[in-house]
Amino acid sequence: MLMGTEGDRVLLQIKDASKAPVFTKPLRLDGKTVSRWGSIAHEAIIGKQSRDVVVTNTGRELRVRYPTLDEYVTLTPRLVTPVYPADANLMVSLLDLHVSPRRTAPQNDVPLEILEAGTGHGALTLHLARAIHAANDPPPTQRLHDLEPERSDASQVEEGNHSKTDMNMLQSKDGAHRTALASSSWRSQRRATIHTIDVSSKHSKHAQTIVDGFRQGMYSQNVEFHVGDVSNWIDEQLLLREGNILGSETAAFLSHVFLDLPASYRHIEKASSALRADGMLMVFNPSITQITACVEVIRTLRLPLVLDRALELGPNMTRGKDWDIRAVKPRALIKAENDKKEALVSGNSDASTKSVEDEESAEIQVETKTRDEEQAQTLAQEEIGWQMICRPTVGPVTGGGFLGVWRKMKQREI
């Protein structure tokens, strides 16, 4: 494999592989990379085959190779902590994506659209884009000559009246316009797309450079970058796709949704409205309490989502550690409630009935007071913006977190 052109990043490794490789800056014809083994001009790297040997100014021989996707997302400069490769690979595998080229896909096959809210470094974006890559035809890389009209003799005579520089400029603009039209047409016919959105334009631009920089941007055409609030973006998309009633199953256009946001629970209702039946909603957060907040919102709003699994991700957890997260009532409380119901129905004396009612009234007052206090405390926390953090503190925390996975039910299942 050729080391490509300017803009590529490659790894330089000493021949015996005893030391960690050096990750170059984007290659430039006038650039160079300085390492512990000496410096080497980028001009000597560009055009080399993978595993070829290059020589530094000190005479040390280094092998050249492309970084793997895991190495690339780990070694590239970052503005935020990335989703580390082990976690990203697990998340993508849980989506159980199976794409096929256009020529083998069914005629009525609906496009695959995945939303990632919280672009961040672009690490998960790249893993998702790679997973869907086979579904799309290669993007147009040349001008569409078949769109160019035949030129008449009159037009050729007219061209003779222009300078060569003017004609080159006109041809360049015309070619760029046709290439843009071809690209727009290709994008509208994609069978798989990753929509990724971030509230920070700075982070989004940086993530786009990360995606574009991997192997000459081989996956970048599968991704659409957006900046803004994810709930607002979903509303805009539902309106743009026209003729659908918000919240109905026919309005849904997303195959899967991934939320990596500090307050993911605030966007679950909107995400659910745009998620197709049997689609997956994944929420990735550093604390288990953030996942339980999502469980509570889904239960309270009676959203058509069923918890498939909750996983703890981290070092040495290849498949994650399962957690049991449910909203339940203690058995003792259920038994007490059943006993009270039986006492009311059994036709006891007025005195005993009055006693039970008085007891229930007192308990209701206490319960109401407790709930009011809890609600006030919750509202106070939300106004301040605080969230409870519960996670291990033993050893350094590198990657990992908690992943909630829900599936969208059909309306008749509810």
Side-chain angles (χ1 to χ4, degrees), residues 191-209:
R191 295 184 52 255
T193 308
I194 304 299
H195 299 283
T196 183
I197 184 169
D198 201 288
V199 294
S200 169
S201 60
K202 182 179 179 180
H203 294 167
S204 183
K205 289 178 181 177
H206 178 75
Q208 190 164 358
T209 63

Side-chain angles (χ1 to χ4, degrees), residues 87-113:
D87 299 335
N89 283 321
L90 176 57
M91 294 171 193
V92 173
S93 70
L94 289 174
L95 290 179
D96 196 34
L97 300 173
H98 301 280
V99 298
S100 56
R102 178 183 294 277
R103 61 182 178 274
T104 62
Q107 290 290 337
N108 59 348
D109 194 24
V110 295
L112 177 69
E113 296 188 65

Side-chain angles (χ1 to χ4, degrees), residues 347-362:
N348 291 338
S349 63
D350 293 342
S352 61
T353 301
K354 186 176 183 303
S355 175
V356 172
E357 290 175 349
D358 291 342
E359 182 181 351
E360 280 189 326
S361 177

